[in-house]
Amino acid sequence: MAENTPDPYVDLYARRTAGMSASEVRALFAVASRPEVISLAGGMPFVQALPREHILEVVTKVITERGDLALQYGGGVGHLGLRERLADLLNGEGIAADPGSIVITMGGQQALDIIGRIFIDPGDQIAVEAPSYVGALSAFSAYEPEFLQVPLDDEGMIVDELEAHLRGGVRPAFVYTVPNFHNPAGVTMSLARREQLVAVCRDAGIPIIEDDPYRALRFDGDPIPALRTLDPANVIYLSSLSKVFAAGIRIGYVTAEPSVLQRFLPAKEAADLCPSNLSQLIAEEYLSDERWEANLQTLIDIYRERRDACLAALAEHFPTDATWTHPSGGFYVWATLPDVFDTARMLPTAVERRVAYVPGTAFYPDGSGANRLRLAYCYPDAADVAEGVRRLSGLLNDEESARAAATVPGAVPGRAAGS
Ligand code: PMP
């Protein structure tokens, strides 16, 4: 598509499209996918580890034995057989669900869009963690909310901060959180914070949107009860098969109280009529065969090894005045540099040095976070993750030296990387 052709419809588009620009993450995929660049940018699941023969078997079975169903429209709520499997999965994780309380969506992403559609009127406030999953921010932005940023720390959302806002009279339409292995922050909400959050939201009558696609990818420590387990009446729970099976089949799901689903379902049907039967039957078949659990364990072991490589390389090479999170699962490490760094400005130089990451500003509605960055260790192998961190550390150390030289009176500053 030619970028600079004048757009004849420029005055005709809806106002809400003004804030819609290509996400920083998407723009990055183009450069970061060059083979010489080690990409710690996109959170791409390592699908190469999925056994192709097993999946081929599943797909063949679906087409030969249930082709008429697989190739047809289905019900808007989703295929019953898959909802049964997902209910088993959720119940196994301590999240009470029956097939009737589950709606299938096209990835967790569609669920976020529909949540925005049914809860947000233009100008409504919604509370999100700062930082927050960039895809949720773009999905919600289409409905023109005002974002109330609630900071997080190593224990997840700082609920005291949310409470302070509520005491000040703010009443968000919902609170959105990623409690496990946060994207981008890598942290997991502690049980104490979870209990505090459900109590605060219950008292204020504010629903919680619990977005939990990484839950099963735990490397160490014990699982912590879901917010939905702590307060089913007030928590809308979203997850997906993208990280535990395949992102390409685009299966997400929601479990919530019937009153919420009564609003959610018609809004979703208006968008998609029904989820793909082909994808749903493949997912149902895959989850019905116990080999899938061994496949999941393989993924967990691979991601753990990459997480370890990332943390070891950070400890060895990163500047001593930087800090970073220590995820016990999921895909991401979140690093904080001294205030003088600007990770968006540095990115082109990082790519020249053959490493990519996502600048922190992508994850804050107000564009703050300039000195932060997200490192995704999920896709490159452990050696490449370590090498990527080493390359990035080289750039940060050069930037620091250049700055130090520039502040020494009479010194000739070295070339500032990225300038
Ligand atoms: N929520 C979070 C926190 C995510 O990280 C992602 C994917 N990166 C999604 C939702 C959406 O994923 P999908 O649509 O593939 O299920």
Side-chain angles (χ1 to χ4, degrees):
M1 211 171 21
E3 293 268 315
N4 41 15
T5 318
D7 184 346
Y9 309 131
V10 78
D11 296 327
L12 300 178
Y13 295 116
R15 210 165 14 103
R16 74 179 74 90
T17 62
M20 293 179 184
S21 53
S23 89
E24 288 185 59
V25 177
R26 202 170 340 130
L28 264 171
F29 271 123
V31 266
S33 60
R34 295 208 306 260
E36 69 278 15
V37 176
I38 294 178
S39 177
L40 305 173
M44 297 220 297
F46 188 61
V47 294
Q48 286 81 343
L50 294 169
R52 295 296 153 91
E53 332 70 61
H54 175 184
I55 293 171
L56 195 58
E57 220 179 275
V58 163
V59 174
T60 307
K61 190 165 174 206
V62 164
I63 296 294
T64 43
E65 293 176 16
R66 294 197 284 171
D68 287 351
L69 180 60
L71 302 173
Q72 193 50 276
Y73 288 118
V77 67
H79 175 65
L80 178 61
L82 176 60
R83 288 184 289 120
E84 284 170 349
R85 293 287 75 72
L86 294 172
D88 293 345
L89 204 66
L90 287 168
N91 288 314
E93 293 177 334
I95 302 165
D98 59 68
S101 66
I102 294 175
V103 174
I104 308 294
T105 56
M106 188 154 63
Q109 192 63 29
Q110 188 192 32
L112 291 167
D113 176 51
I114 303 300
I115 292 291
R117 194 173 298 201
I118 66 173
F119 278 107
I120 304 172
D121 281 320
D124 279 355
Q125 283 193 312
I126 57 170
V128 298
E129 286 152 329
S132 239
Y133 166 50
V134 60
L137 297 179
S138 20
F140 298 151
S141 290
Y143 302 99
E144 303 175 80
E146 279 179 23
F147 290 97
L148 183 67
Q149 297 190 171
V150 185
L152 46 70
D153 62 17
D154 283 343
E155 276 191 71
M157 183 191 291
I158 303 175
V159 183
D160 283 349
E161 302 260 351
L162 173 68
E163 238 180 322
H165 284 296
L166 299 182
R167 269 199 307 274
V170 169
R171 201 181 174 292
F174 59 75
V175 175
Y176 169 73
T177 177
V178 180
N180 288 310
F181 324 128
H182 191 271
N183 180 0
V187 297
T188 290
M189 197 187 288
S190 65
L191 181 59
R193 290 272 175 85
R194 290 177 194 225
E195 286 170 341
Q196 187 188 2
L197 180 62
V198 295
V200 165
C201 288
R202 185 194 304 125
D203 289 350
I206 298 168
I208 298 172
I209 312 301
E210 178 174 25
D211 185 11
D212 202 18
Y214 301 96
R215 180 178 188 82
L217 299 181
R218 176 172 277 282
F219 311 144
D220 27 55
D222 293 324
I224 304 175
L227 298 163
R228 170 99 181 140
T229 304
L230 298 175
D231 189 5
N234 197 41
V235 176
I236 299 165
Y237 182 92
L238 329 178
S239 191
S240 106
L241 297 182
S242 291
K243 315 298 190 303
V244 296
F245 174 28
I249 63 162
R250 310 304 301 129
I251 296 288
Y253 52 99
V254 177
T255 183
E257 296 309 278
S259 51
V260 175
L261 295 183
Q262 267 166 31
R263 305 268 178 164
F264 186 92
L265 185 57
K268 194 197 72 95
E269 286 172 338
D272 71 357
L273 295 182
C274 64
S276 153
N277 264 357
L278 179 58
S279 284
Q280 292 184 92
L281 293 187
I282 291 170
E284 178 196 8
E285 202 64 56
Y286 184 75
L287 296 176
S288 301
D289 179 330
E290 63 191 17
R291 281 179 292 174
W292 98 268
E293 289 178 22
N295 298 345
L296 175 61
Q297 192 55 52
T298 303
L299 288 174
I300 292 171
D301 293 342
I302 290 171
Y303 293 137
R304 182 194 293 107
E305 189 195 9
R306 293 174 182 189
R307 184 270 321 252
D308 290 346
C310 186
L311 292 179
L314 285 164
E316 190 179 343
H317 302 295
F318 237 43
T320 47
D321 47 6
T323 58
W324 56 89
T325 55
H326 293 74
S328 45
F331 285 2
Y332 311 106
V333 168
W334 180 240
T336 302
L337 307 173
D339 281 345
V340 286
F341 282 94
D342 179 340
T343 57
R345 185 188 58 76
M346 267 166 33
L347 185 58
T349 318
V351 172
E352 267 170 38
R353 294 186 178 210
R354 296 169 297 127
V355 60
Y357 57 82
V358 184
T361 45
F363 305 101
Y364 293 83
D366 68 0
S368 56
N371 61 326
R372 298 169 191 268
L373 66 151
R374 188 189 76 179
L375 301 175
Y377 49 76
C378 44
Y379 196 75
D381 66 25
D384 277 353
V385 168
E387 172 59 17
V389 171
R390 202 189 58 77
R391 289 178 190 173
L392 179 58
S393 306
L395 167 59
L396 299 179
N397 290 324
D398 289 354
E399 286 247 333
E400 285 212 313
S401 312
R403 209 174 351 260
T407 55
V408 174
V412 181
R415 187 182 74 89
S419 57

